[in-house]
Each structure stands twice: as C-alpha cells, then as structure tokens.
Amino acid sequence: MRGWRNAVQETAASKPLFLTIYATVILGTVVSSFYVFSAIYSPTASPTRSISSSWLLAPPLSQNGVSLSSNISQPSQHRSNKLRPIWEAPSRTSKMPRLKSFRLTKELVAQRAKDNVIIVTFGNFAFMDFILTWVKHLTDLGVSNLLVGAMDAKLLNALYWKGIPVFDMGSHISTDDVGWGSPIFHKMGRQKVLLINAILPFGFELLMCDTDMVWLKNPLPYLARYPDADILTSSDQVVPTVVDDRLADWKQVGAAYNIGIFHWRPTPPAKKLAKEWIDMLLADDRIWDQNGFNELVRRQTGPAFDDESGIFYSYDGNLKLGILPESIFCSGHTYFVQALHQQFRLQPYALHTTFQYAGTEGKRHRLREAMVFFDPPEYYDAPGGFLSFRPSISKSLLLDGEHNLESHFSLINYQMRQIRSALALASVLNRTLVMPPLWCRLDRLWFPHPGALLGSMTRQPFLCPLDHVFEVRESWLDVQLCQEGTEDCHASSNTSRPGLLRFPKRSSEETLKKVFSSFKDVKVIQFSSMQDAFLGFTDKTREEKFRKRVKQYVGIWCCVENHIPGHIYYDMYWDEKPGWKPVPPKTPEDDHPPF
C-alpha cells in the first residue's frame, strides 16, 4: 500500500498524459488482482495463512460466548469477521481446498479462538459420530471457539463438508476403530501430547478433550474462576471429595488424573511439563500417555497454592494444578452409577464415558442411554418397527435381604428371562427390541470389590448401564405400553411401519394366550402373566439359531474377592440348569462363557 501511495503522489506532479497512463495501470492491476484472488480456492503457501478461503469469505460467526480472564499476557488476535458459522456447509458447487490450507497454524487457532481460549478434540473417521455429538453440544451451548483435528483424510473431508472447523494432523491413522489399549490407540494418545506442545507456544489457553465425552454446560465460565491454575484436569475419582461445585480436594484424590478433559494455560511451567511429557513418551512407546502425565505431575504434590481456591503445587513444586470436581465433571461411574450430580442437586458440566465395559459401541450406548448422542433421524426409523415391554419386578427381588451375589443374580436373571422372551417375539415379528431399564444390586468393576465401592455414594439397588450385564452391540429406544380398554390399545402381529406393537398392561391369562396364538412360529413355554410369559419357537432350526445368538448377548459380573478368576458369567438360559448358582469358574480350564 505504501508503494501504491507513493506512486499516486508522484503522478500528481507529472504531465496529464503520464497521469492518465499511471492511473490506467494502477486500476488495471487492482482489477486483475481481484479476479485472480477470486479464482483461488485456497490461500497461498505461507504457513501463517492456512485457513480455507471458503471460511474466510463466509458470513460472520456468531459472537456467543463468555469473557475469560487469564494469568498471562494475551497475544494479538485478528479474528476474522467472515468466518463461516459452524454447521453451515460450504456450497456443493465449490471445490475442496488444498490440503495445506488445513495445516495447524497460529493464525488458524487465532481465527477460531475467543477470549484467548480454544477448545480442541481430535480423532479418526471411526469416531465421526462422536465428534459431531461433541460439536453439537458445544454449539447448542453457544460455544463456537472450537477446532477438530482430523487424523485421516476421510474425516477431514467429511467434517469440512458438514461445516465443522477442522485441521489436518498429518497422522495417517487408520480410519477404523483402533480399540482401547492397542498399539494404534497408544499412538493416538501421543498425538494428543504433540498437539498440546504445538498449540501452547501459540499463546492460547487450550481445553483439550477426548471425543467420547460431551459438554452438558458451558465450561468456560467455570474454568475462568481459577485464573491462577496452570492446568485444570479431570480425574477418575469415584469417592466424592466435595459436595458443591468447588474444585476437588486434592489431598483426598487418590485416583488417576484423567487426561480426557483438561485445560492448559500457556505458562512456562505448563510448557515445560508438556515438553518433558512428550519426550518421555517418544523415548518409550510402552508408556501410556495418561500414566506418563500422572507420573510427572505427582512427582511432588503440595503445598496448597492458597487457602481458598483448591489449587495446589505439583510437578516438583513448579506447576499450579487444580482437580475438577468429580460430581459435575463426571466419569462414567459418577454419572451413570452414582449419579452424584443428582444426589448433590448440581448441574453437570461434562460426561465422559469411562468406567464402561463394551468398547466403542458401549460408549455410544451410554450416551444414548443419557439421551445426549447426536443420531440422524433414520436411526429412529428401524425396519419393521419396534417392540417394547415394561417388566414387572417384585419388591422382594429389589429390596429384600442383603445385597449380595445371590440377590443380585436373582434380580438380573429374572429380568434376563423376560428380555429373552421379548427377543424371541421381536425376532418373529422382525422388529427391533426396545430394552427396558435394567436394575442391579451390585456394581461392576475390573477388580474384586464388596459389591459397591467403599466411600462411594452408590445406591443399592440402582438403574445400571446395560453394559454391566449385556455385551452391547446395538442400541435401543424406549416407549410406553397402553392401558387395556383404551382407544387404539390392541395387540397385533402386523409389522408394517409406522407404529408400535402394544400389549394390554393388565390382561388376563386367557386374553394374553389369545394374543400369543396370533403370532406365527411362537410357542408359550411357561405362562402366568405378561411379564412371566417365556416364549420359544415351533421351528427347531430357528430355535437353535436363536439360542446360539442370544447366548452371546450377555457378559460377566466382576469380581469376587479372594478368588482367581473372580468373574461370574451371566447365562441367558440359566433356568434350564437345575441348581444353577452364581459362582466363578473353579479353574482356568472352566473359564469360558456358557455358550
């Protein structure tokens, strides 16, 4: 611009002819530059300008958010006024920008950051539905200062066309679900630490999250309450240390600090920790990233930073750390099993699907159980429709006697037999079973325990997650039964969509036998009421195929104290084995499912 301004001043003193020539040349240059720029879909190769032009030319981004304070000087930010709003997809007539425009740069982070804070998650294509759920919760809360790291080109492409702010991590990770604990899983964990080391030097506060968690409340105002903390981290603590929304009592937190949710400020101690952490992981690929973090920050803990905040010194006394409260930054145990937020009358900020037993599909189901998973409408439109039932469980099964192995398995087995009959009927009708709520007397863990963790607020009995008993592969919905005699309340084997198959709630035995007689290929094995109608198949081949399939639906209860192995297999056909008892396998040779 300065060169152009000098040229104009020089021409002002020149002859009219030269003035005309200079003006024509300058005007032509401006017009040509405009057309050249308009024809380019991505920015130049400059590493500091790596945001796609389709975002730069989009309408203004919503300015929802909360002003945050920081204990560091904030870098200058040039937040674009033309960022495309999240979820507003690019025009399908446009081209995909070049890959280099998705590189992680300081300018890219500055474009998305607000009040110097950026929220980041990352994953591969196998976790796209988790990522969309993660983004949707934040945008529904009015939070837009987020970025998603794509570990493969397939995810990068898919997120871009959905209008999600995405950057390329250059990881070239498999697009498949890698599985917890696998070598690729640990490689992905190292990517998180590399990201932290890449973003902190940019000078932004970083809220780093795993994809298997969701935000239920805007966390940024809470994090801003503790500007002196270098790091705020979640934990696997299951015994509550506070009963309000203060930071956890660090002296009582004996469980691991969980790196699925943690907030970093770009202070010298935080940067030093991040550098030592990645050096540790790169030097030994056997170290799990979370274990490495815990080893470093717990190397020396204390004293308290002050008398009020709950922040304390860690990492050889060099870093100020705070532990997020376990009741509102929830693990899978404090949310699904204990429901601490409900018991303390608090509103949870986050839900992380830890403490669960069915892999990635189990995590999906946990979030669906909580009704916080972002599913497309077609998920709720199963071919053939749905079948649901409401179990009838006696008070004695739920409450009488001690909470022990016998009473727990009596309760579970009673519910399992009803579910088995419902599965048989759903199979005949080609419908999807709507699983009922499941009651448990005992908790499930990876290690021996007395039935409920000592010091926890686990109520007995409690509505337990489905993966405590079943090997979750699919997720089901919930509907209600109608009252007999009311309008449109009748039983039918018609499976045409839409509609639900409804059974009278308090029907006589004669009425229900007539109902079941209308279903082809189903036979009543035992009958006393709707809840105690145990069904089978008239076709032997179909019966055997069904039995083989449903036997694999159930998992284990774990674990008996002072016994190896300590787990006990659930058995879908326990009632066909006289004298069946809930006991663990006697020897390693007996340690196999009852298939």
Side-chain angles (χ1 to χ4, degrees), residues 475-531:
S475 295
W476 296 288
L477 305 175
D478 188 21
V479 295
Q480 295 182 351
L481 296 171
C482 62
Q483 292 286 346
E484 183 179 13
T486 59
E487 184 179 0
D488 296 329
C489 185
H490 59 277
S492 171
S493 60
N494 185 359
T495 60
S496 62
R497 293 156 53 198
L500 298 170
L501 180 65
R502 297 180 175 182
F503 289 103
K505 187 174 182 180
R506 295 184 179 89
S507 302
S508 65
E509 180 176 345
E510 181 180 352
T511 300
L512 288 171
K513 284 183 176 179
K514 290 181 180 178
V515 168
F516 286 116
S517 66
S518 67
F519 300 128
K520 186 180 179 181
D521 298 330
V522 175
K523 64 179 180 180
V524 177
I525 298 175
Q526 179 181 339
F527 190 95
S528 61
S529 68
M530 177 61 201
Q531 285 73 28

Side-chain angles (χ1 to χ4, degrees), residues 119-335:
I119 311 174
V120 175
T121 193
F122 68 97
N124 65 353
F125 186 77
F127 285 84
M128 181 169 172
D129 51 351
F130 286 93
I131 291 171
L132 295 179
T133 297
W134 184 86
V135 173
K136 188 173 190 305
H137 277 275
L138 283 173
T139 54
D140 284 353
L141 293 168
V143 178
S144 58
N145 48 323
L146 61 90
L147 277 170
V148 176
M151 305 187 78
D152 59 72
K154 189 175 181 181
L155 177 66
L156 181 104
N157 185 79
L159 292 179
Y160 171 77
W161 289 111
K162 284 188 174 293
I164 306 299
V166 60
F167 64 91
D168 176 32
M169 295 180 63
S171 306
H172 307 295
I173 293 288
S174 167
T175 59
D176 299 326
D177 182 3
V178 299
W180 191 94
S182 67
I184 300 181
F185 171 85
H186 288 296
K187 182 179 179 181
M188 291 178 69
R190 281 156 172 73
Q191 295 294 313
K192 177 191 295 184
V193 192
L194 288 168
L195 268 182
I196 293 170
N197 276 273
I199 295 175
L200 286 183
F202 296 160
F204 299 94
E205 296 183 27
L206 170 64
L207 178 53
M208 176 64 73
C209 316
D210 285 352
T211 58
D212 62 339
M213 60 82 55
V214 296
W215 291 106
L216 306 176
K217 186 178 179 180
N218 182 357
L220 300 183
Y222 186 93
L223 302 176
R225 287 165 51 180
Y226 303 98
D228 294 309
D230 298 304
I231 296 177
L232 295 169
T233 182
S234 60
S235 78
D236 289 333
Q237 183 73 14
V238 295
V239 177
T241 64
V242 292
V243 297
D244 51 26
D245 66 348
R246 292 175 296 168
L247 290 178
D249 185 342
W250 60 276
K251 293 182 180 179
Q252 298 183 37
V253 177
Y257 303 152
N258 191 293
I259 62 173
I261 307 171
F262 59 166
H263 176 257
W264 293 64
R265 289 191 170 89
T267 59
K271 293 178 182 178
K272 181 183 177 182
L273 171 62
K275 178 64 168 59
E276 185 173 355
W277 188 15
I278 192 60
D279 289 345
M280 169 194 285
L281 298 179
L282 294 178
D284 189 347
D285 59 7
R286 296 169 298 177
I287 300 176
W288 181 25
D289 55 348
Q290 181 165 291
N291 287 349
F293 177 81
N294 276 266
E295 179 181 333
L296 291 174
V297 297
R298 290 178 181 267
R299 203 156 54 192
Q300 176 184 327
T301 56
F305 171 69
D306 55 27
D307 296 331
E308 298 294 334
S309 67
I311 298 170
F312 63 101
Y313 287 100
S314 64
Y315 184 46
D316 293 332
N318 297 317
L319 181 131
K320 297 186 290 293
L321 183 66
I323 312 301
L324 298 168
E326 55 281 333
S327 59
I328 50 179
F329 289 84
C330 306
S331 68
H333 197 278
T334 60
Y335 189 94

Side-chain angles (χ1 to χ4, degrees), residues 455-467:
S456 72
M457 295 184 65
T458 303
R459 295 178 174 178
Q460 295 175 272
F462 63 97
L463 284 172
C464 53
L466 193 70
D467 58 60

Side-chain angles (χ1 to χ4, degrees), residues 427-443:
S427 176
V428 168
L429 299 176
N430 192 32
R431 288 175 175 253
T432 299
L433 178 64
V434 180
M435 289 292 284
L438 193 66
W439 284 95
C440 291
R441 280 188 175 232
L442 301 185
D443 198 357

